[in-house]
Amino acid sequence: MYKYTDKRFKTNEIQVMLYTDFNGLSRSDCAAAAYILTDCCKKFPTYSELSKHLANLYSASLYSNVNFAWSGMRVAAVKANVLGNAYALDGENLEAEMCGILCECLLSPNAENGKFDETATANMRAEIIDDIDSVINEKSSYAAQRGAMIAFKGEPMDTPPVGTHEEAERITPETAYHAYRNMLETARIHIVCSGSSDFTDTERAFTKAFSKLERSNICELKKTPSTLKPEPAVFADTIPMEQAILRMYFKAPEFGDFRAALILSVILGGMTTSRFFLNIREKQSLCYYCACTGNRALRTLTAYAGVEPQNIELTKQAILDELNDIRENGVTEEELSAAKLDLYNRYSSMKDSPSIMIAWYHGQILDDEIHSPEEECREIEKVTSERIRAAARAYTLDTVYTLCSPDFDGTADSDEREDTE
């Protein structure tokens, strides 16, 4: 259990994170199980009853999500936010009450005879299908999802964490409950808390609740960088849309200097004075936006841009030119200082809420050392231009993905195009 106390906060955030491998279970079943857990339980068998009780706890909140963690592992997170005990009007122990609800939802779900409630499962199946199908309406998200299928083919991240439409259609009360039991019995469980409390009540509640579980074959947390393809994959999708989206994935499986890689991504496309913004968007007017982000566990950099279809190839070359320039010439002191200042400003806001603090510290649990935001600023200060140049040289183009209208025929050869209408 990880606890971070800051008396400036008026609320407490408690997160129960269940880390599992993709071990043959349907992703959609696992997602449905996680979502059902925070919609109802035996004590509060409907969403309405549970919501009413939470509202009586000074509008406490309870929710869950599923996502990728550390190089593609699955994490199902059950999260609660509740007012600190010091602010309760009648001296209620809100933390203990919230922990009781969390334990009820996690360990006593609305299920009997090896299956979840029929109505709860049907509602969740419909929601998951709707979420999966609605991604196509947000073109940037759709492109990111489709690009990941190519960039991470054969790896966990090549499929969304909630699964596919076909998987979601097959969710039943029995399959979702089976996924729930598998997660409960084999997951690596981390309980992470942040807020005004010292979380003594939380630790006591979960120690008692989880001590009754029989668990085996516990998932091992690990970092696994994404595999670099022998040759870059080039893929184009078509869908009715006005503009086009370009995504370029770079990988460096053997490069471990994540701070240099981070600053490289900021200089390339992570701030308003980045090279992509100034040189590609402003000076060359090749795109509407152009940015870059990195994944330290996967050891990838992803450049992405919104462009006119006829500018796809020009933008692609412009992105490569900027990276090649840093490989050959490094970065200026002005760029380095600006990137560091941008990161300092980001880190200074990490203590703005309990949930951000949880994300900050828990994101480091596989690191050799865990740093506070202030300590991380001091590490960032040590990064030199030469380290950034080494990072630029380490990254190799792995995948080029484009999404544009089927009316445009200049983005890729016909045998590389897939019509997704």
Side-chain angles (χ1 to χ4, degrees):
M1 181 169 174
Y2 302 83
K3 301 181 286 186
Y4 311 105
T5 299
D6 191 328
K7 294 297 183 181
R8 296 178 306 148
F9 296 134
K10 294 183 179 181
T11 61
N12 294 314
E13 181 99 5
I14 304 166
Q15 298 188 12
V16 182
M17 302 181 181
L18 299 92
Y19 293 94
T20 58
D21 291 319
F22 289 97
N23 48 7
L25 293 174
S26 160
R27 300 184 186 212
S28 296
D29 281 327
C30 292
Y35 295 144
I36 289 172
L37 292 180
T38 52
D39 268 10
C40 56
C41 61
K42 281 187 177 179
K43 188 173 182 180
F44 306 104
T46 67
Y47 179 75
S48 177
E49 290 175 277
L50 180 56
S51 297
K52 183 178 179 180
H53 188 72
L54 292 172
N56 290 334
L57 294 179
Y58 301 90
S59 296
S61 61
L62 179 65
Y63 58 101
S64 56
N65 63 20
V66 291
N67 213 325
F68 294 116
W70 303 303
S71 64
M73 295 181 66
R74 172 177 51 223
V75 56
V78 178
K79 307 178 183 182
N81 188 280
V82 66
L83 189 69
N85 289 344
Y87 302 96
L89 296 178
D90 297 316
E92 305 99 316
N93 190 336
L94 302 175
E95 179 187 342
E97 180 72 19
M98 192 73 246
C99 287
I101 296 173
L102 270 172
C103 290
E104 287 280 346
C105 290
L106 283 164
L107 304 177
S108 299
N110 188 10
E112 288 184 355
N113 302 319
K115 61 180 182 179
F116 281 120
D117 176 76
E118 294 274 359
T119 301
T121 305
N123 290 340
M124 197 52 61
R125 179 173 57 244
E127 286 189 30
I128 290 175
I129 290 173
D130 184 61
D131 287 344
I132 291 171
D133 292 347
S134 66
V135 170
I136 198 170
N137 297 321
E138 175 47 59
K139 299 303 186 289
S140 294
S141 298
Y142 182 74
Q145 188 178 102
R146 294 286 296 170
M149 292 175 62
I150 311 304
F152 306 112
K153 185 177 181 180
E155 301 175 13
M157 289 185 69
D158 70 355
T159 303
V162 296
T164 64
H165 180 104
E166 291 73 22
E167 284 181 327
E169 288 277 9
R170 294 193 292 268
I171 295 171
T172 68
E174 292 84 1
T175 58
Y177 185 80
H178 175 69
Y180 155 72
R181 292 304 306 179
N182 182 275
M183 288 193 293
L184 199 62
E185 293 166 7
T186 67
R188 176 72 60 180
I189 301 176
H190 286 203
I191 301 168
V192 192
C193 313
S194 179
S196 58
S197 173
D198 63 4
F199 297 103
T200 300
D201 288 335
T202 299
E203 188 167 12
R204 184 183 301 115
F206 281 105
T207 298
K208 180 180 179 180
F210 281 90
S211 64
K212 302 174 183 178
L213 283 178
E214 294 184 7
R215 289 162 44 78
S216 61
N217 300 318
I218 306 302
C219 176
E220 178 186 357
L221 296 182
K222 55 185 180 293
K223 293 180 180 178
T224 308
S226 183
T227 302
L228 177 66
K229 296 179 181 60
E231 296 291 335
V234 179
F235 195 89
D237 269 336
T238 60
I239 195 171
M241 58 189 298
E242 292 297 322
Q243 301 164 8
I245 296 173
L246 167 68
R247 296 183 65 86
M248 300 174 68
Y249 298 81
F250 300 84
K251 298 181 181 180
E254 306 300 323
F255 188 73
D257 190 349
F258 69 87
R259 293 186 179 92
L262 171 62
I263 296 181
L264 172 65
S265 70
V266 173
I267 290 174
L268 282 172
M271 56 183 176
T272 56
T273 57
S274 69
R275 290 193 174 206
F276 289 173
F277 184 87
L278 293 179
N279 297 338
I280 300 177
R281 182 186 185 276
E282 296 296 296
K283 292 182 180 179
Q284 300 183 61
S285 299
L286 289 177
C287 54
Y288 300 99
Y289 63 85
C290 192
C292 181
T293 187
N295 184 307
R296 58 183 287 190
L298 292 173
R299 298 182 183 176
T300 62
L301 288 177
T302 304
Y304 53 97
V307 301
E308 291 293 340
Q310 64 270 20
N311 288 334
I312 289 176
E313 289 301 321
L314 292 173
T315 304
K316 171 186 171 182
Q317 188 58 51
I319 289 171
L320 293 173
D321 288 345
E322 294 298 337
L323 183 60
N324 287 333
D325 184 69
I326 295 178
R327 287 171 177 158
E328 296 299 320
N329 305 310
V331 298
T332 67
E333 286 301 317
E334 290 78 12
E335 288 177 315
L336 183 57
S337 296
K340 289 180 178 180
L341 180 60
D342 183 85
L343 290 172
Y344 299 157
N345 289 335
R346 296 185 204 180
Y347 295 162
S348 67
S349 67
M350 290 299 168
K351 295 183 177 180
D352 286 353
S353 74
S355 59
I356 296 176
M357 287 295 288
I358 286 176
W360 171 265
Y361 281 107
H362 200 244
Q364 303 178 63
I365 66 170
L366 292 186
D367 292 349
D368 295 332
E369 297 180 356
I370 294 179
H371 292 143
S372 68
E374 294 81 6
E375 291 170 333
E376 188 60 25
C377 285
R378 289 193 285 272
E379 293 299 318
I380 288 294
E381 183 60 34
K382 299 175 185 177
V383 177
T384 63
S385 176
E386 190 54 43
R387 285 172 61 182
I388 297 169
R389 186 181 182 189
R393 289 178 170 179
Y395 282 93
T396 301
L397 181 63
D398 178 89
T399 300
V400 178
Y401 172 84
T402 55
L403 178 68
C404 70
S405 169
D407 297 331
F408 182 73
D409 60 3
T411 56
D413 293 335
S414 58
D415 62 345
E416 294 174 332
R417 185 183 302 278
E418 176 177 316
D419 194 338
T420 59
E421 286 189 86

